[in-house]
Every structure is written in structure tokens, then in C-alpha cells.
Amino acid sequence: MSDQPADAAQAGATPAQEPAGGTTPPELLSLRASIDNLDAALVHLLAERFRCTRAVGALKARMDLPPADPGREKIQIARLRDLASESGLDPEFAEKFLALIIDEVIHHHLHAREEPQA
Amino acid sequence: MSDQPADAAQAGATPAQEPAGGTTPPELLSLRASIDNLDAALVHLLAERFRCTRAVGALKARMDLPPADPGREKIQIARLRDLASESGLDPEFAEKFLALIIDEVIHHHLHAREEPQA
């Protein structure tokens, strides 16, 4: 990190260890440290989720099941909207988030189908 | 859950407790149970992330700081792409995911600015 410019925005991007730089208020630096930690957790959970969906893709390709499953997706959307409401997340955002994931998953599944079977 | 139709897709949507329904392979039901648990965790982390960014929004409105911070965003994108690469997540997907979040955050910040100060 020592080769990066030490401007205020930079200081906010790295949690905890970074000294409060320039004109960024300490309260903002503290909130950004939490956000950066949550983002790291989100990225790791997404990586694990795609490990699962890649396994689903391989299974579906092996068993010649269709990549998309509209019935399952409808139920996932309803469930995530409910979980979002309970936890104070905008259900519309939760639905957009799931749509982004499902697009990526279907892309992976189609790709898995094109690859030779392991 | 007992009032829901017991088709195969339905059985896959609820983790663990649901009996293996209809024609869905047990291996697929098991992977879907993991995916549903990860999705619940993701929704709760996102809810917490937006609690932080709402606090950032309120702070920025109070201190009359601009809602968007391109310098910070650039660093966040680079950091999340690196974290994604390390954990086996497609960095392109991580960037799309962050863009979705940042769009929502800026929308929140603009909205916070329009509200009377607490």
C-alpha cells in the first residue's frame, strides 16, 4: 500500500490501519472502514455462491437439465424480497441484485454446457 | 411453508428441512440449500452495508460534502477486483456488483440531501 498516493480518498479505502488523512472527517473514515470490511465479506460469499452454482451447472450439463429454471427463480425472488424487508434492505434492490447474479449464473451454465464433460 | 405448492422447484427453494421433492436430483437440492443460505447471508450483509452508507449520506448532507466521490470509487473498484481474483470470483462481476451498489448509494445520498436534517 505504501506506493499508493496518500490522498484523503485513498485513506478511506483501506480499513482501520490507515491514518486519518487530509480533510476526510474521522466519522466518515470509520464508516468507510466498516463498508470495506463488509465488501470483502460480500465478495467472499459471492465467490462461494458461484462455486455452488458452477457445481449446479456441471450437474445440469451432465444430466441434460435446462440451464434456467423459471419456477425456482420466481421463488428465489419472493424469498429474497421477504428477507430484504425483514432486514431493512429495499426489496427492489434485492431483486436487482438477484437478477445480476442469475444472469451471470445462466451465462456460466451455458458455458459449462459447451465444455467437454469432466 | 405448508400452503405452498410442492413442486420440484419449490422443494429446492427452502434449505435443509424440505423433503427431496419430485424429480429434482438430491445433489441439486443440496447445492440449492447452500445457495439459499448464502443468499440469506448476502442480503443481511447488504442490509448492514446500506445502514453504513445511509449514515455516510446523512453525514455528507450535514457537512455539505458531494454525494459521489470518484476517487474513492476508483479505489474501491480496484480493491474489490483484487479481492475477487484472490477468491475465485470474476473481477468483471465484482465490478458490476459494486456499480449496482454505488448507484443505489448515490440515489440514497441524493434522497438524504432532500430530507430535513435530523
Side-chain angles (χ1 to χ4, degrees):
Chain A
M1 290 289 175
S2 58
D3 58 343
Q4 292 178 345
D7 62 35
Q10 185 75 32
T14 308
Q17 304 90 328
E18 204 78 20
T23 56
T24 309
E27 195 180 341
L28 182 54
L29 290 175
S30 173
L31 286 165
R32 284 179 169 179
S34 292
I35 289 166
D36 289 341
N37 283 340
L38 291 166
D39 280 346
L42 284 163
V43 163
H44 285 90
L45 283 179
L46 282 167
E48 181 58 22
R49 195 194 192 281
F50 284 116
R51 278 175 55 84
C52 292
T53 52
R54 279 179 201 276
V56 169
L59 183 71
K60 284 183 168 180
R62 200 166 67 234
M63 301 185 74
D64 206 27
L65 295 167
D69 183 339
R72 156 93 173 147
E73 284 163 31
K74 203 172 153 191
I75 292 159
Q76 281 178 296
I77 290 165
R79 179 175 174 270
L80 282 207
R81 288 186 68 101
D82 284 351
L83 282 170
S85 294
E86 285 166 22
S87 60
L89 183 69
D90 178 4
E92 294 299 315
F93 180 82
E95 188 165 344
K96 277 191 270 181
F97 168 64
L98 187 65
L100 181 73
I101 290 178
I102 290 176
D103 275 359
E104 185 76 4
V105 167
I106 291 172
H107 173 75
H108 289 174
H109 287 190
L110 291 171
H111 186 68
R113 195 165 292 258
E114 286 156 15
E115 284 176 353
Q117 303 296 306
Chain B
M1 292 290 173
S2 59
D3 58 344
Q4 291 178 346
D7 63 33
Q10 185 76 34
T14 309
Q17 304 91 331
E18 204 77 20
T23 55
T24 309
E27 194 180 342
L28 182 53
L29 290 175
S30 172
L31 286 165
R32 284 179 168 178
S34 292
I35 290 166
D36 288 342
N37 284 340
L38 292 166
D39 280 345
L42 284 163
V43 163
H44 285 90
L45 283 179
L46 282 167
E48 182 57 21
R49 195 195 191 281
F50 284 115
R51 279 175 54 84
C52 293
T53 51
R54 279 178 201 278
V56 168
L59 183 71
K60 285 183 167 181
R62 201 165 69 232
M63 301 186 74
D64 205 29
L65 295 167
D69 184 338
R72 156 93 173 146
E73 284 163 31
K74 203 172 153 191
I75 292 158
Q76 281 178 296
I77 291 166
R79 179 175 174 270
L80 282 206
R81 288 186 68 102
D82 284 350
L83 283 170
S85 293
E86 285 165 21
S87 59
L89 183 69
D90 179 3
E92 294 299 314
F93 180 83
E95 187 165 345
K96 278 191 267 180
F97 168 65
L98 188 64
L100 181 73
I101 290 179
I102 290 176
D103 275 0
E104 186 76 4
V105 167
I106 291 172
H107 173 75
H108 289 174
H109 286 191
L110 290 172
H111 186 69
R113 195 166 290 259
E114 286 156 15
E115 284 175 351
Q117 303 295 308

